[in-house]
Each structure stands twice: as C-alpha cells, then as structure tokens.
Amino acid sequence: MENMHLAQRIRAFRKLKGYTQQELAEKSGVSLALLGAVERGNRRADDQILTKIADCLGITLADLKPEP
C-alpha cells in the first residue's frame, strides 16, 4: 500500500512539473526502468534514489513521503 501511495505522489509531482518519465529519469540519473517500476508501485526505491527524484522535482523527500 505504501508503495502505491508513493508511486501516485511521484507521478503527480512529475506531471505537475511537465516531465515525462524519460525526462525525469535523465535529469535525476535514475534509470527509466527503475523509475517506471517505482511509479507503478512494483519496486521500492531507497531514500537516496527518492532524494534524487525529489531534487529534480523541486520538492523535498518529506513531500514524497509525508508522515501519516
């Protein structure tokens, strides 16, 4: 469940920024395959990867992973 919530948040922030998955992957240095799997909720990403994604989106890690 947590993976799906995180996946939805990443996708929403990415779309707000106007990035495709390819663009975000390139800007963050994360592979397209990994980013796609994370956005689908099929794979977990560690905080280091999530921080790279958040930085490219102009948000914080806390924005992606808010406290319940």
Side-chain angles (χ1 to χ4, degrees), residues 12-62:
F13 280 116
R14 175 177 60 77
K15 288 186 176 200
L16 280 174
K17 201 70 163 164
Y19 292 155
T20 64
Q21 280 186 344
Q22 179 73 42
E23 289 170 328
L24 181 56
E26 289 173 2
K27 290 176 186 299
S28 64
V30 173
S31 76
L32 179 58
L34 174 59
L35 179 60
V38 170
E39 275 199 13
R40 287 188 302 277
N42 294 337
R43 184 150 176 209
R44 286 188 120 159
D46 62 28
D47 283 352
Q48 182 180 7
I49 290 170
L50 293 176
T51 299
K52 288 180 182 182
I53 292 169
D55 287 347
C56 288
L57 294 172
I59 59 175
T60 66
L61 185 57

